[in-house]
């Protein structure tokens, strides 16, 4: 779960957490270079957040790590210039390719190696593009000290943690799931987190493009009864002593067209979605209800300078898709949680199921 600070053009700073399955863009989001003017991004952490309520009931987050552990392939000056600046020195690279002049290389780095330079792939064999295999392992990584990141937040080592205004869940969903939607309430947000699914990546043990469950983006790390874990999330609202809980959102940067093209440009353009979230936190009336949550009102996402984006496709909610989604989720909960599923989560699932069935064909 990443932790990032976002200061809007009015100078108001808020912190958000975001939980995505591995290799789904946590580091890119935490180190985002905003394409909207006036926004300032600072990173507290890109991987783990320890959450706790302070004496006033405010949820706070601490980054317990001293560095960043990011996926190398696809990282470049175009996709994540801040990461590229951060890993320039004092960095451990694992399973990347090596260049004969002492450098590193991976697919998507957008860096041409010099004339006469040869490459050794991650298995230690000579490599050329004609070989037909990746030079770097798909889950190769960089490990680098957080303190040398140029946008590290001043409070990144604060033992009190930073106050959290929103929690964002998400995953790789090529179809059916909107770009962004907001939970109706805290219990609905817990349900949304529990229902996270994502297309498998190189960081998962599954092969191929299977969409797998990854509740709270914690599936590989849950070390006790999942039902108890969800109950603990629900209990936090009572322990907050009336203090407002963070808003909960779900994002999907990875929805594709029928032709297999990404519908949203992602990376620094994601600030446009975060801008909508921050305005919702500030109480702006820019959302409309849907069966699965609150969606942005028409024209409420700032698209200035972006070019053509098919918002209808990005926010399309198909009844048949979501009926199958809920049926499959109910089976998953019965198999993995059983009688320990908190009644509040069951109620939220039943409510979503009812609203979906009430949709017009």
């Amino acid at each position: 779960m990443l932790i990032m600070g976002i200061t809007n053009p009015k100078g108001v700073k808020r912190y958000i957490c975001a939980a995505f399955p591995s290799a789904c863009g946590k580091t890119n989001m935490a180190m985002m270079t905003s394409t909207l003017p006036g926004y300032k991004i600072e990173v507290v952490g890109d991987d783990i957040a320890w959450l706790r309520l302070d004496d006033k009931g405010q949820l706070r987050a601490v980054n317990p790590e001293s560095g960043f552990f990011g996926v190398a392939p696809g990282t470049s000056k175009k996709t994540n210039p801040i990461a590229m600046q951060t890993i320039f020195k004092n960095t451990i690279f694992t399973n990347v390719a090596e260049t004969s002049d002492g450098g590193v290389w991976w697919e998507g780095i957008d860096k041409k190696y010099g004339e006469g330079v040869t490459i050794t792939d991650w298995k230690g064999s000579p490599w050329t593009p004609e070989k037909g295999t990746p030079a770097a392992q798909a889950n190769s990584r960089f490990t680098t000290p957080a303190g040398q990141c140029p946008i590290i937040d001043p409070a990144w080592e604060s033992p009190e943690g930073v106050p959290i205004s929103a929690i964002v869940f998400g995953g790789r969903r090529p179809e059916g799931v909107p770009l962004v939607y907001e939970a109706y309430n805290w219990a609905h947000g817990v349900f949304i987190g529990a229902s996270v699914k994502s297309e498998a990546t190189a960081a998962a043990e599954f092969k191929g493009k299977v969409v797998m469950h990854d509740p709270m983006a914690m599936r590989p790390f849950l070390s006790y009864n999942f039902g108890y874990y969800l109950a603990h999330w629900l209990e936090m609202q009572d322990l907050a002593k009336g203090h407002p809980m963070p808003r909960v959102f779900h994002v999907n940067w990875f929805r594709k067209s029928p032709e297999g093209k990404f519908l949203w440009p992602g990376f620094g353009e994601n600030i446009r979605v975060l801008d909508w979230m921050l305005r919702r936190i500030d109480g702006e009336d820019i959302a409309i209800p849907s069966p699965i949550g609150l969606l942005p009102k028409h024209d409420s996402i700032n698209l200035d300078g972006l070019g053509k984006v098919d918002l209808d496709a990005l926010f399309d909610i198909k009844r048949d898709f979501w009926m199958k989604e809920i049926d499959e989720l109910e089976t998953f909960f019965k198999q993995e949680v059983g009688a320990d599923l908190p009644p509040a989560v069951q109620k939220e699932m039943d409510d979503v199921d009812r609203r979906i069935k009430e949709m017009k064909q």
Side-chain angles (χ1 to χ4, degrees), residues 120-357:
T120 301
D121 70 17
W122 71 282
K123 295 182 179 180
S125 301
W127 182 88
T128 63
E130 290 73 28
K131 191 173 181 179
T133 58
Q137 204 270 348
N139 196 34
S140 55
R141 299 277 178 155
F142 56 79
T143 306
T144 193
Q148 64 190 36
C149 176
I151 62 166
I152 196 70
D153 193 272
W156 82 279
E157 292 184 295
S158 169
E160 292 83 16
V162 295
I164 301 302
S165 296
I167 295 176
V168 184
F169 295 105
R172 288 179 178 265
R173 300 303 304 271
E175 62 175 320
V177 180
L179 176 63
V180 61
Y181 60 98
E182 180 185 349
Y184 284 115
N185 52 55
W186 181 250
H188 185 215
V190 174
F191 164 75
I192 288 173
S195 62
V196 168
K197 294 168 69 176
S198 185
E199 191 175 72
T201 68
E205 67 270 30
F206 293 92
K207 301 291 185 181
K209 296 295 186 180
V210 61
V211 174
M212 65 182 189
H213 287 276
D214 197 344
M216 304 289 190
M218 281 286 290
R219 187 188 59 82
F221 312 108
L222 286 172
S223 57
Y224 68 100
N225 184 299
F226 180 38
Y228 297 171
Y229 181 79
L230 295 178
H232 179 57
W233 272 79
L234 292 165
E235 181 188 31
M236 290 168 68
Q237 184 171 35
D238 295 329
L239 297 175
K241 306 173 184 177
H243 192 287
M245 296 299 290
R247 302 252 184 153
V248 179
F249 300 88
H250 186 284
V251 297
N252 177 26
W253 315 129
F254 303 98
R255 192 165 183 172
K256 294 182 178 181
S257 69
E259 296 74 35
K261 303 293 185 180
F262 287 115
L263 292 169
W264 181 250
F267 302 112
E269 304 295 357
N270 292 339
I271 188 64
R272 300 171 186 275
V273 176
L274 299 184
D275 167 74
W276 180 81
M277 293 181 189
L278 295 180
R279 288 155 55 208
R280 285 293 299 149
I281 294 167
D282 289 337
E284 287 195 36
D285 182 16
I286 50 175
I288 55 174
S290 82
I292 63 171
L294 294 162
L295 298 176
K297 282 185 176 180
H298 182 67
D299 289 339
S300 64
I301 292 182
N302 185 347
L303 301 180
D304 290 349
L306 187 56
K308 186 176 181 180
V309 173
D310 191 345
L311 291 180
D312 289 338
L314 277 166
F315 289 101
D316 185 35
I317 298 176
K318 295 189 182 300
R319 184 175 184 270
D320 289 346
F321 174 90
W322 280 95
M323 286 182 66
K324 293 177 181 177
E325 190 83 357
I326 292 298
D327 287 346
E328 203 275 333
L329 182 62
E330 187 168 13
T331 299
F332 173 76
F333 282 156
K334 286 180 179 179
Q335 293 175 345
E336 300 296 328
V337 192
D340 292 322
L341 185 70
V345 174
Q346 180 66 56
K347 178 182 181 302
E348 293 299 330
M349 181 165 59
D350 292 342
D351 287 347
V352 173
D353 183 50
R354 172 183 51 77
R355 292 193 294 263
I356 291 169
K357 289 177 178 176

Side-chain angles (χ1 to χ4, degrees), residues 29 104 138 264:
M29 180 169 164
V104 294
W264 181 250

Side-chain angles (χ1 to χ4, degrees), residues 106-125:
W106 53 77
E107 280 68 25
I109 195 173
D110 292 339
K111 175 184 176 183
K112 294 183 178 180
Y113 39 93
E115 185 177 350
V117 174
T118 59
I119 289 184
T120 301
D121 70 17
W122 71 282
K123 295 182 179 180
S125 301

